[in-house]
Amino acid sequence: MSTSLKSVALSHLERLPRAPASDLKKLGWRGVMKAIRSKGKLLVTNHDEPEAVIIPAAEYDALMQVVAQSEARAELALEDLRQSFDKRLSVLQDRSAATRLRSSMSSRIRLGGKVKVGASF
């Protein structure tokens, strides 16, 4: 994890209620679940270093749904980009593409101090 991502993640962890791993061993599973019910989530530490976050299953499921939706949006955006790219490249499949390319390469181009770019060039 990069330093900036780590610092962002740790800043969120600082706000969570904490419990040392040794306390969890003493409390047992019932004690852990009681703490989760009362506090909502729990940061487990080992020698004061964050080790794990325990959250209710429903909250985990909600987080995973957000992740799945985000991935789906990213995939749709990527597919749109692919289609746009393929559409622009499809002109190379035209029968006259080779002739047009040879023609443009063999003729002198007068730029007049400007760069020619875009789909029409």
Side-chain angles (χ1 to χ4, degrees):
M1 187 183 303
S2 73
T3 306
S4 62
L5 273 174
K6 190 174 185 178
S7 63
V8 168
L10 289 177
S11 70
H12 290 289
L13 294 177
E14 293 298 323
R15 299 181 207 146
L16 296 175
R18 295 171 164 250
S22 59
D23 283 1
L24 297 183
K25 291 175 189 173
K26 286 183 228 174
L27 293 172
W29 185 247
R30 285 188 180 164
V32 170
M33 292 312 297
K34 184 178 177 182
I36 297 298
R37 279 191 295 276
S38 69
K39 298 177 183 177
K41 41 187 109 14
L42 192 61
L43 174 64
V44 180
T45 61
N46 188 16
H47 300 288
D48 277 337
E49 290 295 319
E51 286 285 319
V53 176
I54 302 173
I55 61 173
E59 189 171 341
Y60 176 80
D61 187 51
L63 289 171
M64 291 299 100
Q65 287 179 15
V66 169
V67 168
Q69 290 169 355
S70 176
E71 288 173 346
R73 281 193 300 274
E75 188 57 40
L76 281 173
L78 186 56
E79 184 56 35
D80 287 346
L81 186 60
R82 279 188 201 110
Q83 288 178 1
S84 172
F85 186 71
D86 289 346
K87 184 178 178 182
R88 290 194 71 185
L89 286 178
S90 68
V91 297
L92 297 176
Q93 299 297 325
D94 191 340
R95 290 182 190 175
S96 64
T99 306
R100 289 192 332 243
L101 180 60
R102 279 191 212 95
S103 170
S104 67
M105 296 301 278
S106 65
S107 64
R108 291 193 135 165
I109 298 175
R110 297 177 196 255
L111 297 176
K114 296 182 180 180
V115 177
K116 293 186 178 185
V117 295
S120 64
F121 179 66

